[in-house]
Amino acid sequence: MDTLLESLLEIREHNGPDYKPLIDFQSWRVALMNYTPDLVPEKIYRMQKHTETDEVFVLLVGKCILFLGEGGERVTAIYAESMEQFKLYNVKRGAWHSHTFSEDAKVLIVENRDTTDVNSPFVDLSREQQARVVELVKELWG
């Protein structure tokens, strides 16, 4: 690629497992998240929330379920949304969330660049809540 083009266009991709930030600019970040065996329904044991920002998810290919949790310091109720391709899903600031993917899934994520573990705490789910996650997947995906 010629030097001029590199100064005008940045091209990134991610084909490995899990989450990878690809482009940061000023206050925002774009990442891709792919299937990872750590997020099969039987292994989802916690949820995360972002205390300073919303987070947008876009399903590009495959299947993905967003799990959403109500509650302040602890998750008190769990809901699931099976994502549709190319729709924007904005997880609101302070909403507990997690996700599971089909093996061919690829999800685009847009968030604030300063979204880190410092402002994104995790909370463990109870055994009953973990079982609920598995049950929700069976209800949505059969």
Side-chain angles (χ1 to χ4, degrees):
M1 179 181 295
D2 110 4
T3 308
L4 177 63
L5 186 55
E6 286 180 9
S7 70
L8 299 175
L9 180 64
E10 182 178 358
I11 300 172
R12 299 286 181 260
E13 66 179 344
H14 170 54
N15 296 309
D18 212 356
Y19 170 87
K20 181 169 181 71
L22 296 173
I23 298 174
D24 286 345
F25 182 76
Q26 293 181 358
S27 65
W28 55 267
R29 168 185 302 139
V30 178
L32 285 175
M33 188 160 191
N34 302 325
Y35 169 83
T36 176
D38 296 341
L39 289 174
V40 296
E42 297 77 17
K43 291 187 179 179
I44 296 174
Y45 67 93
R46 64 185 185 168
M47 287 187 156
Q48 180 181 42
K49 70 177 175 181
H50 304 301
T51 60
E52 297 179 11
T53 183
D54 290 4
E55 183 176 25
V56 176
F57 296 86
V58 182
L59 178 64
L60 301 175
V61 68
K63 297 190 304 185
C64 178
I65 294 174
L66 278 175
F67 301 104
L68 302 161
E70 282 185 319
E73 296 303 310
R74 305 188 68 55
V75 174
T76 57
I78 297 175
Y79 306 94
E81 181 72 27
S82 187
M83 295 176 65
E84 294 179 38
Q85 223 173 3
F86 308 122
K87 285 190 177 181
L88 299 164
Y89 294 83
N90 185 35
V91 175
K92 304 301 280 182
R93 177 175 58 104
W96 294 108
H97 61 284
S98 188
H99 19 62
T100 193
F101 304 85
S102 61
E103 289 189 22
D104 61 340
K106 187 175 287 281
V107 174
L108 177 80
I109 300 173
V110 180
E111 61 190 352
N112 282 4
R113 185 173 179 222
D114 62 357
T115 302
T116 66
D117 289 342
V118 171
N119 54 30
S120 302
F122 286 91
V123 66
D124 287 340
L125 299 175
S126 69
R127 288 181 195 211
E128 293 80 17
Q129 289 171 324
Q130 291 175 43
R132 178 70 179 140
V133 165
V134 172
E135 179 182 305
L136 286 166
V137 172
K138 288 178 183 173
E139 289 174 14
L140 292 171
W141 286 355

